[in-house]
Amino acid sequence: MGAGYCDVAVTSTAGGVSQIKAVAGAAIGGEDILQNMMQHLLPNSENLFLSHGINEIKSLGLLRVATENAIHRLSSQTSVQVDVDLRNGSKICKVVTREEFEEVNLKVFEKCESLLTQCLLGSKVDIEDLSDVIVVGGCSYIPNIRNVVKGVCRKEELYQAINPLEAAVCGAALEGAVASGISDPFGSLDLLTIQATPLGVGIRADGNTFVPIIPRNTTMPARKELIFTTTHDNQTEALILVYEGEGIKVEENHLLGYFKIVGIPAAPKGIPEIYVCMDIDASNALRVFAGVVMPGTGQPMAPFMEVRMPTVDDGHGWCAGALNRTYGSTLDLATV
């Protein structure tokens, strides 16, 4: 757990091979804790800093630094004295206890607990089988974060042989060295990490519904397909909108890209079989294939299209939204 994100993973490791069994995460972290505490120390801060003038920015900076310092000290002390002159006529002189800090950030700690529980359930690993529990990131120094982890994982002690602030950097360096093919005569880089998909990947179908084709926590590389069909008589085109996420409605998920398939043979609705296949390779690149097969022939009626995602990074995501609003109902697909 760092400043802006909380990640949880369950991995199975042996002989230099590490397989990620399940992952869970949310955009919650130290910045949320900091903002909660700033609001607690100065309840009317939003109104005080509304104009965003240079003096207000300076005052906000003073409050931020004082709050950060208090949070750091509460990791080793049960209470701290916060004294800060905001130089705008406001002064803060307050004692903050660790219990008070934990109460202010109760929702953050509850979210951490739910992510741990979700990840353990997704991994299908019994808690008794966890050999090591490792916490990394700056927020892992917060006592209640550690207590939550130990409570959910039923551990009296956490893994101590790694610096929580250096772990992510060391891991990135190792992965980068392995990926670049650096020769290592000592065998320290004979490592393999088998990744899992952090979110489901699928398309829009059945109205405005997100239909996952590759479920969350699928081991990569992965290749899966589903069969869809037309929703209108004599429908000759279909709009493929690709999303990642866990939401039921498409707008609750993240748009990765879109394309249109043409050349569907004119037939009553429900007759053409439209295969949509998704492939994620070992380098985490996603490709989407789509094509049409008429029942009884077994042969594609039109060339299968292959599109690499994401295709909306160029700022044209609005175009997919416009196409969906205008043609979504007429170019829709239904699951078979």
Side-chain angles (χ1 to χ4, degrees):
M1 187 177 183
Y5 213 84
C6 181
D7 270 315
V8 185
V10 176
T11 70
S12 177
T13 303
V17 178
S18 189
Q19 179 178 1
I20 297 177
K21 310 289 285 185
V23 290
I28 192 168
E31 184 64 26
D32 298 276
I33 293 173
L34 177 62
Q35 293 297 328
N36 290 342
M37 285 303 295
M38 289 171 63
Q39 185 67 27
H40 177 68
L41 290 170
L42 195 63
N44 61 339
S45 58
E46 291 182 0
N47 294 328
L48 284 174
F49 306 129
L50 197 59
S51 65
H52 299 292
I54 187 65
N55 292 329
E56 285 77 13
I57 292 173
K58 288 180 179 178
S59 298
L60 183 62
L62 291 169
L63 176 60
R64 185 182 179 91
V65 170
T67 307
E68 283 180 344
N69 185 43
I71 293 172
H72 292 163
R73 286 186 291 151
L74 281 172
S75 292
S76 57
Q77 302 171 219
T78 56
S79 65
V80 295
Q81 176 77 32
V82 180
D83 290 306
V84 56
D85 183 357
L86 300 180
R87 300 177 187 174
N88 61 353
S90 300
K91 291 184 179 181
I92 297 174
C93 184
K94 182 177 175 62
V95 174
V96 180
T97 65
R98 186 181 290 176
E99 291 77 13
E100 189 177 356
F101 165 75
E102 292 173 357
E103 180 65 29
V104 169
N105 291 287
L106 181 61
K107 290 185 178 180
V108 175
F109 299 134
E110 287 177 344
K111 182 62 177 177
C112 292
E113 185 174 356
S114 70
L115 288 173
L116 286 161
T117 305
Q118 174 189 335
C119 193
L120 284 167
L121 287 172
S123 70
K124 298 180 175 61
V125 172
D126 293 333
I127 291 177
E128 294 75 16
D129 293 333
L130 295 177
S131 55
D132 289 307
V133 179
I134 307 169
V135 290
V136 301
C139 287
S140 64
Y141 287 102
I142 297 174
N144 203 39
I145 293 287
R146 304 175 78 89
N147 291 337
V148 165
V149 174
K150 287 191 285 188
V152 173
C153 299
R154 300 177 195 168
K155 292 286 182 181
E156 293 185 5
E157 294 298 331
L158 302 173
Y159 187 79
Q160 301 290 335
I162 193 166
N163 185 326
L165 295 178
E166 296 176 355
V169 177
C170 291
L174 280 171
E175 289 285 345
V178 171
S180 64
I182 292 176
S183 60
D184 174 27
F186 301 104
S188 300
L189 294 178
D190 292 338
L191 306 172
L192 173 64
T193 300
I194 302 173
Q195 302 279 358
T197 54
L199 297 167
V201 185
I203 69 168
R204 174 193 182 275
D206 299 331
N208 206 40
T209 304
F210 171 64
V211 179
I213 294 177
I214 297 181
R216 194 185 77 196
N217 290 330
T218 299
T219 300
M220 295 189 290
R223 186 184 181 97
K224 294 183 181 294
E225 68 178 33
L226 278 181
I227 303 175
F228 299 84
T229 190
T230 53
T231 58
H232 299 280
D233 293 336
N234 301 318
Q235 181 179 337
T236 59
E237 299 178 342
L239 182 63
I240 307 292
L241 295 166
V242 182
Y243 292 86
E244 65 174 358
E246 295 298 311
I248 296 174
K249 300 297 183 182
V250 292
E251 58 266 19
E252 299 170 355
N253 302 285
H254 175 230
L255 177 67
L256 292 178
Y258 62 98
F259 60 96
K260 186 169 73 171
I261 58 173
V262 298
I264 302 173
K269 66 180 180 180
I271 295 298
E273 292 182 348
I274 300 166
Y275 284 74
V276 179
C277 175
M278 293 191 171
D279 177 275
I280 303 177
D281 63 22
S283 62
N284 204 21
L286 169 66
R287 293 179 301 165
V288 181
F289 305 83
V292 185
V293 172
M294 291 297 286
T297 65
Q299 298 295 324
M301 299 299 295
F304 271 66
M305 287 191 64
E306 175 187 349
V307 180
R308 181 162 172 163
M309 302 289 165
T311 62
V312 296
D313 283 351
D314 55 4
H316 291 105
W318 61 268
C319 187
L323 286 170
N324 188 27
R325 286 190 298 271
T326 306
Y327 302 107
S329 60
T330 58
L331 303 182
D332 194 14
L333 294 176
T335 52
V336 173

